[in-house]
Amino acid sequence: MSANDFARSRPSLFEAGFSWPVMVIKRSAVDHNVAALARYCADRGESLAPHVKTTMSPQLWERQLAAGAWGLTVATPHQARVVRAHGVRRIFLANELVDDAAAAWAAGEMAHDDGFEFTCYVDSVAGVEILGEATRGRVDRRLRVVLEVGHEGGRTGCRTDTDAMAVARAVRREPSLALVGAAGFEGGLGHDRSTATVGAVTAFARRMRGLLTACDAEGLLDADTGEYLVSCGGSAFFDLVTAELAGDWDTRLPVRVLLRSGAYVTHDSLFYEKLSPFAQDPADARLRPAIEVWGQVLSRPEPGLVLAGIGKRDISFDEGMPVVLATRSRSGDIRVPAGCTVDRLNDQHAYLTVPGDSGIAVGDLVCLGISHPCTAHDKWQLVPLVDDDHRVVETARSYF
């Protein structure tokens, strides 16, 4: 039986014979989240190229494209090839491309399909020269690049405006490349909404605006592109970024503000739940955690201790321990327990501290919420999507 045939029968998660643990995605939450960010961008005249490194799942990114996504963002050449193999015609590689073979592949795809659009980052003169040499003479169109702006202590991206302008001038010298905008990642500037973090994110976006304007004034941007791109915005501070980048630009061509949020599609129960710009909105407007990981209680070896069969191989933990969402008894009663926490994980076990009157018994199921969706999906190649009654209604495959 195929996965699609299995889902068509709409079996109960708890009666279909799954072996535990199992990660599931709540379909209603995904559909709500996709619609919420699409509406946010549409209301502000901005575009969205969701970062599919989070899920690498066609069944999920097709929802995002259907909701109006401008294109898809990826982090690696491998991810770009997977997305392209599924027919996507606009790919934004939010990373430097210094792999000769991958650059040649991108140029080859452009040569074979006039409608295919590929854009990547540059942040060094050396990287520009590698990319230029790898693509020279392979395609009539020039490969689109954006100048990546970075910050001290961050990851990639030009640290100073002087360095950034030198990279932009290097692109201008390469006949196979076209500079079409600027981009950056503000998520590394803080993990809270403190005054310091808000100020740093706002200043970073303002710096991107200034650099794009300077590149345009010097004639370093491609005049034939039709519009410039400025791209920023993970899943934590996109409101701050758009507030700074939206509005009129003093440039020769119009500027498209492009968000790259990715984690929002399945969201989480802890990290982004606290940081999301929607966190203070009314409940029906906030993003909804879509991921649940269900596992069995294997042992109650000490008072107040529960060992569940969910471990590091099964659930994300890099931005905080999972949270206990619910339990299900062997008789089928589902309830939300109070005072239960996950204190640590082994490879295949979760250590839960529970109150003496928790009523959790060996053989029961526990449902855990995650703390970071970007390190959850890669642990599961095929995930059931369930309705609000936990009936399997479709499946989502990931290609990591």
Side-chain angles (χ1 to χ4, degrees):
M1 178 185 293
S2 70
N4 288 337
D5 289 338
F6 174 75
R8 272 193 287 270
S9 67
R10 298 176 63 89
S12 167
L13 173 67
F14 309 113
E15 299 171 3
F18 284 102
S19 60
W20 311 103
V22 172
M23 185 174 100
V24 302
I25 297 172
K26 301 190 75 171
R27 183 173 66 176
S28 63
V30 166
D31 291 343
H32 169 85
N33 295 344
V34 169
L37 201 54
R39 185 168 55 250
Y40 178 93
C41 290
D43 288 348
R44 290 159 178 79
E46 294 150 4
S47 297
L48 174 65
H51 208 318
V52 298
K53 71 177 175 62
T54 300
T55 70
M56 284 305 294
S57 173
Q59 289 81 10
L60 298 182
W61 78 52
E62 285 168 3
R63 284 170 158 84
Q64 296 168 299
L65 289 170
W70 176 85
L72 297 181
T73 298
V74 296
T76 67
H78 165 74
Q79 292 172 7
R81 297 185 73 145
V82 169
V83 168
R84 179 61 177 156
H86 284 84
V88 176
R89 303 189 75 188
R90 182 180 278 146
I91 297 174
F92 189 92
L93 175 61
N95 217 339
E96 280 64 29
L97 181 57
V98 294
D99 180 328
D100 292 345
W105 167 82
E109 291 296 307
M110 292 169 57
H112 294 140
D113 182 354
D114 288 340
F116 176 59
E117 186 176 295
F118 182 88
T119 308
C120 67
Y121 285 179
V122 290
D123 77 343
S124 68
V125 173
V128 168
E129 292 171 348
I130 290 171
L131 187 58
E133 182 177 354
T135 55
R136 205 172 299 142
R138 292 182 178 271
V139 61
D140 292 336
R141 292 183 289 147
R142 290 180 292 166
L143 191 145
R144 295 158 51 94
V145 300
V146 293
L147 178 67
E148 188 187 8
V149 181
H151 59 85
E152 191 68 31
R155 52 192 195 195
T156 51
C158 299
R159 296 306 198 252
T160 69
D161 292 0
T162 299
D163 288 344
M165 296 303 291
V167 173
R169 294 179 189 117
V171 174
R172 189 69 174 170
R173 293 192 296 269
E174 287 292 341
S176 63
L177 305 181
L179 185 64
V180 300
F185 176 63
E186 78 288 354
L189 289 165
H191 284 175
D192 55 34
R193 286 257 165 179
S194 66
T195 301
T197 297
V198 170
V201 171
T202 300
F204 181 70
R206 189 174 300 142
R207 179 173 166 235
M208 288 179 55
R209 177 185 272 271
L211 278 168
L212 183 62
T213 303
C215 287
D216 180 61
E218 195 173 317
L220 301 176
L221 294 170
D222 180 31
D224 299 323
T225 186
E227 64 180 10
Y228 303 144
L229 292 179
V230 61
S231 177
C232 210
S235 292
F237 303 117
F238 55 79
D239 58 327
L240 303 178
V241 169
T242 55
E244 194 61 39
L245 298 179
D248 295 335
W249 285 72
D250 184 20
T251 51
R252 291 173 297 167
L253 294 179
V255 176
R256 181 184 295 273
V257 178
L258 184 66
L259 299 187
R260 303 189 310 274
S261 308
Y264 80 96
V265 65
T266 48
H267 198 45
D268 68 12
S269 298
L270 186 61
F271 183 67
Y272 285 113
E273 176 67 7
K274 295 178 180 178
L275 278 181
S276 169
F278 296 140
Q280 304 306 316
D281 288 353
D284 60 350
R286 292 199 296 264
L287 298 178
R288 299 174 185 172
I291 292 176
E292 298 175 346
V293 182
W294 290 83
Q296 282 189 304
V297 174
L298 303 178
S299 179
R300 293 289 318 261
E302 302 171 14
L305 176 64
V306 166
L307 273 299
I310 303 172
K312 293 178 181 179
R313 298 180 186 273
D314 314 307
I315 196 167
S316 56
F317 57 93
D318 56 308
E319 294 289 355
M321 286 291 106
V323 297
V324 181
L325 300 179
T327 62
R328 185 180 188 273
S329 69
R330 288 174 58 83
S331 63
D333 294 327
I334 295 180
R335 60 192 184 87
V336 179
C340 298
T341 60
V342 178
D343 296 324
R344 59 188 173 113
L345 298 172
N346 289 159
D347 288 350
Q348 311 287 180
H349 294 86
Y351 292 71
L352 280 66
T353 297
V354 303
D357 59 352
S358 70
I360 301 174
V362 170
D364 288 354
L365 293 174
V366 295
C367 174
L368 302 184
I370 66 161
S371 62
H372 188 198
C374 296
T375 53
H377 290 269
D378 59 312
K379 295 173 170 56
W380 300 89
Q381 293 183 355
L382 187 66
V383 179
L385 271 70
V386 299
D387 64 16
D388 290 344
D389 294 322
H390 285 95
R391 290 194 170 275
V392 179
V393 290
E394 59 181 299
T395 58
R397 185 174 294 278
S398 291
Y399 294 86
F400 283 99

